[in-house]
Amino acid sequence: MITHGNAIQLIAGNGNLPLAQEIAKQLKMELCDVEVGTFSDGEISISLPKTVRGRDVFVIQSTSSPVNDNLMELLVMIDALKRASAGRITAVIPYFGYARQDRKAKARDPITAKLVANLLTTAGADRILTMDLHAAQIQGFFDIPLDHLYGSPVLAKQCQKLISAEPDKEWVVVSPDVGSVSRNRTFAAKLNVPLAIVDKRRPKANAIEVMNVIGDVKGKSCIMFDDMIDTAGTICQGAEALIKNGANEVYACSIHGVLSGPAMERLSASPFKKVLLTNTVPLSKEILENPKIKQVSVASIFAKAITRIYMDTSISDIYED
């Protein structure tokens, strides 16, 4: 258990309780009691049975589906902590919902990511700790400190084991779209393998989209990396394009397994041999039992970051281990 200055307390909402429990276990701590429920009309109800006065409190809550319920739950918890005179409140948000609404794509669009940042600050959060924001510029939406963690080292470690187990195969990292090239270039460098790109474009108006593969994938084992898999349409189309271009096998890995709508149906029918996901978003038992899905934990990264925030030391050295 870590001790430094004011006492530390961990509190979890319903957004991702399994990850919160794992983080607490890594820190050799217990999650503090908090009564989270709803009134008969659906309003969020929060009650803190024990004092938090002067405490350094970390509230662990992913704002994944149901997004609005989990976000509101987080805001009400922060407000309750603020009014109970908590010393410092850090919102630990493994998956930051609304991150894809970071700009005006067309006239009269909202910038909801900025709105959420304002709400968290107004509620009383003193600091944000999150992982792999869909758009890195969201860090600038906050007027309070934000620590941005990366889950790619955990996935890279798993992929390195895969590559080491089959050294005779030729491996290549494939970006599922042009927008993810920078992320995949860094990932490929970690694995010391070449990079290829799937470029999806429409040759003319009302024509079917064509998937072009930039790079050599023929006869190779491919690893597609993305920050999130939502409906899985883009990444599954990319996998099919790789197989058509002569790839021997395709793996996928992603930080946030949102997996909404037809995602599991598409992944099950896809050419992927295995799909690696972290636990920033909780997955149902049914999904975890799917033979194509493998979940890896980022609890140790969050536990190390929480320790460093509490001790007022550098977070950047987490990735030097």
Side-chain angles (χ1 to χ4, degrees):
M1 175 158 177
I2 49 178
T3 56
H4 169 75
N6 292 337
I8 183 174
Q9 288 191 350
L10 301 180
I11 290 179
N14 293 316
N16 196 339
L17 193 55
L19 176 57
Q21 290 169 336
E22 198 173 339
I23 292 170
K25 186 177 179 181
Q26 292 265 351
L27 295 171
K28 297 185 169 77
M29 296 178 62
E30 296 290 333
L31 291 172
C32 293
D33 292 334
V34 56
E35 296 172 8
V36 182
T38 56
F39 292 107
S40 58
D41 63 353
E43 292 179 0
I44 302 293
S45 168
I46 300 291
S47 179
L48 303 170
K50 296 182 180 179
T51 183
V52 294
R53 186 177 297 274
R55 304 294 200 272
D56 205 340
V57 184
F58 293 82
V59 188
I60 305 169
Q61 175 83 328
S62 279
T63 52
S64 50
S65 181
V67 181
N68 297 329
D69 289 351
N70 286 332
L71 175 59
M72 195 64 198
E73 191 176 286
L74 175 59
L75 294 170
V76 176
M77 278 194 288
I78 292 171
D79 182 70
L81 291 166
K82 194 73 174 178
R83 294 177 187 279
S85 301
R88 180 170 64 170
I89 303 167
T90 301
V92 182
I93 312 174
Y95 171 73
F96 187 91
Y98 286 107
R100 284 171 284 183
Q101 298 188 43
D102 63 303
R103 66 196 185 282
K104 294 182 70 171
K106 60 182 188 295
R108 295 173 296 282
D109 272 2
I111 304 180
T112 317
K114 171 59 177 168
L115 172 62
V116 172
N118 290 345
L119 289 170
L120 289 165
T121 305
T122 302
D126 297 299
R127 178 180 293 270
I128 305 294
L129 177 63
T130 190
M131 177 170 277
D132 283 279
L133 289 167
H134 185 68
Q137 63 266 26
I138 292 173
Q139 295 173 76
F141 290 178
F142 288 87
D143 296 323
I144 55 177
L146 182 146
D147 293 301
H148 193 205
L149 301 177
Y150 298 95
S152 56
V154 175
L155 294 174
K157 189 175 181 180
Q158 292 293 321
C159 291
Q160 192 61 63
K161 289 179 181 178
L162 187 66
I163 292 170
S164 299
E166 301 183 81
D168 295 334
K169 293 181 178 179
E170 289 188 78
W171 294 85
V172 58
V173 166
V174 181
S175 177
D177 53 48
V178 175
S180 301
V181 170
S182 178
R183 183 184 300 115
N184 277 268
R185 185 182 291 116
T186 303
F187 195 70
K190 288 178 183 175
L191 300 178
N192 196 27
V193 299
L195 174 69
I197 304 165
V198 175
D199 180 29
K200 182 170 68 173
R201 63 181 60 192
R202 207 179 292 273
K204 59 182 180 180
N206 301 319
I208 298 173
E209 286 182 326
V210 177
M211 309 290 283
N212 297 311
V213 178
I214 304 169
D216 182 18
V217 298
K218 189 173 183 180
K220 297 186 179 181
S221 298
C222 301
I223 300 172
M224 300 186 78
F225 174 58
D226 209 350
D227 68 315
M228 74 169 67
I229 299 177
D230 188 356
T231 60
T234 298
I235 202 163
C236 287
Q237 288 176 355
E240 290 168 3
L242 292 174
I243 295 297
K244 287 178 182 177
N245 279 267
N248 283 345
E249 57 186 1
V250 188
Y251 295 82
C253 53
S254 177
I255 308 298
H256 307 300
V258 179
L259 305 185
S260 65
M264 281 310 301
E265 183 181 339
R266 287 171 173 172
L267 289 173
S268 296
S270 73
F272 289 120
K273 287 191 69 174
K274 190 70 72 175
V275 179
L276 300 178
L277 304 168
T278 78
N279 56 345
T280 58
V281 176
L283 301 178
S284 68
K285 184 180 177 182
E286 182 183 2
I287 292 175
L288 291 172
E289 288 175 349
N290 188 299
K292 284 194 176 185
I293 303 297
K294 181 179 179 180
Q295 191 177 60
V296 294
S297 179
V298 291
S300 62
I301 296 177
F302 277 100
K304 289 175 183 177
I306 287 171
T307 300
R308 283 160 173 77
I309 291 171
Y310 177 62
M311 300 292 289
D312 293 319
T313 57
S314 173
I315 287 182
S316 59
D317 62 355
I318 289 175
Y319 301 101
E320 294 175 7
D321 297 338

